[in-house]
Amino acid sequence: QCCNAEELAQIQGDNFSDEQGCTAHYTNMFEQFFATPIKNAVEAGRGTYDAAKAGKCVEAFKALGCTGSNNPSDFLDNCETPYIGLQAEGDECASIFECRAGLFCSTQSKTCTAYAASGEACSTNSEPFCGQGLYCDSSTSQCAQQKNVGDDCTSGIECSTFACDDTTNKCAEPEPVCTGQ
């Protein structure tokens, strides 16, 4: 309801065209990629879930209303993680949701694995993955610090804002989405 028809088309193309379709689309995605793996991890004793914290996150999201912002920190800054993975580095895992913070579930070894640090080897589309605040520099195949607004870039993944202006090739603030105007 925050978006007009043109903005909806820009965001999701043919995936949905109205609020009902948007709700169905994101409900299905959330269930498949978040809810089911988290439920499985909790049932296996590899994660914990705090319903009270989740409720606070929902309230924080509702409080945003139609802000016209696509900056996830607007929401995440007001949301304490309601779910925590319990598996340590080297422990068996079935999804990223089973691993402790700073670890991912390796599709190769099926174990919780540390993200690569700055200067360590990486691959842009496969393991090892770079840690938070880093990106895989394809020219060196090493993890590098994400760039700030105004720095040169060739793609959004290089930028701390995940937005690289196609015209200036500079990291930029993301454009607001869904102003309804």
Side-chain angles (χ1 to χ4, degrees):
Q1 67 186 357
C2 296
C3 307
N4 64 28
E6 183 180 323
E7 290 167 336
L8 282 171
Q10 179 186 359
I11 295 169
Q12 292 298 331
D14 295 332
N15 290 326
F16 55 83
S17 60
D18 57 20
E19 186 175 353
Q20 181 181 1
C22 174
T23 300
H25 176 78
Y26 283 108
T27 298
N28 289 337
M29 284 184 60
F30 182 80
E31 184 66 34
Q32 180 180 359
F33 296 110
F34 295 99
T36 298
I38 286 172
K39 286 178 191 174
N40 291 344
V42 170
E43 288 173 3
R46 295 179 176 187
T48 63
Y49 172 76
D50 186 321
K53 287 181 184 176
K56 289 179 183 177
C57 290
V58 170
E59 291 307 312
F61 181 75
K62 286 180 182 177
L64 288 175
C66 289
T67 64
S69 173
N70 59 351
N71 185 347
S73 64
D74 288 348
F75 166 63
L76 296 173
D77 286 349
N78 296 300
C79 178
E80 186 179 351
T81 303
Y83 174 80
I84 297 172
L86 299 176
Q87 297 295 87
E89 187 171 359
D91 288 349
E92 184 179 305
C93 58
S95 78
I96 192 169
F97 296 106
E98 296 181 358
C99 299
R100 291 182 184 168
L103 305 173
F104 69 94
C105 186
S106 169
T107 57
Q108 297 168 359
S109 66
K110 302 290 187 213
T111 61
C112 293
T113 305
Y115 287 98
S118 183
E120 291 184 348
C122 61
S123 176
T124 53
N125 294 316
S126 62
E127 297 175 22
F129 301 116
C130 297
Q132 186 174 3
L134 304 173
Y135 76 99
C136 188
D137 184 337
S138 60
S139 67
T140 63
S141 294
Q142 292 182 336
C143 295
Q145 190 69 41
Q146 286 180 312
K147 300 172 183 179
N148 296 315
V149 171
D151 292 343
D152 292 337
C153 59
T154 56
S155 104
I157 197 72
E158 297 174 24
C159 304
S160 61
T161 59
F162 295 102
C164 181
D165 186 295
D166 292 339
T167 307
T168 64
N169 292 324
K170 303 270 185 199
C171 291
E173 290 293 336
E175 290 293 320
V177 176
C178 294
T179 62
Q181 299 175 10

